Amino acid sequence: MDYQLVIKFWRKSLADEAFLAVIEGKLKEALGDAVELEGYDVSPKEINLFMLASDPRHSFRRAKDVLEGLDILNGVSAAFRVAGGTHFTSIWPIRTTRKFRLP
C-alpha cells in the first residue's frame, strides 16, 4: 500500500468521540482489505483518521458511501499522499483551491 489516505472529521460535526468507534467499524466493513487503518490524530478542532491504501481515490469513494449513510459527509475533508510524503492531494470536498493540512 503506497498511499496514506487521511479523513478529517471536524469535531463540531460529531456528536462525541465515541461515535468514532462506529465510524471505524463501518469503514472496516465497507473497505475490507483495501485499506489498513493506522489510527487517529486528535486535536481540539479535528480528528484525523489515517489509513494506508493502494488506490486512495477508490477507497475514499467507498468510504464516502459510509459517511453519507451516517449523515456526516458535510463535516469531513479527505486527502492522500504518498506514504511518508509531505504533499497532500485533496479529494473531498471537491474544490480546486482547497489545501489540506494536518495540525
Side-chain angles (χ1 to χ4, degrees):
M1 298 199 195
D2 301 326
Y3 298 94
Q4 183 180 51
L5 173 61
V6 182
I7 299 177
K8 181 185 303 274
F9 300 94
W10 298 101
R11 281 191 176 264
K12 63 184 175 184
S13 69
L14 300 174
D16 56 41
E17 284 185 35
F19 193 55
L20 288 174
V22 173
I23 294 168
E24 186 174 346
K26 290 194 180 283
L27 288 174
K28 279 183 185 178
E29 186 179 304
L31 298 171
D33 293 336
V35 300
E36 179 183 326
L37 296 178
E38 288 191 295
Y40 295 98
D41 175 33
V42 179
S43 74
K45 291 186 179 182
E46 63 196 54
I47 299 170
N48 296 295
L49 171 61
F50 298 92
M51 55 187 98
L52 295 176
S54 298
D55 185 347
R57 291 180 189 276
H58 177 71
S59 295
F60 181 72
R61 280 193 297 273
R62 290 173 56 196
K64 186 177 160 210
D65 292 339
V66 171
L67 300 172
E68 280 181 312
L70 294 170
D71 199 31
I72 58 171
L73 185 60
N74 290 333
V76 168
S77 294
F80 68 90
R81 62 182 171 187
V82 172
T86 57
H87 174 74
F88 280 100
T89 300
S90 183
I91 54 177
W92 186 262
I94 301 171
R95 291 185 207 140
T96 57
T97 59
R98 183 167 185 95
K99 291 197 178 201
F100 188 91
R101 293 190 180 111
L102 293 176

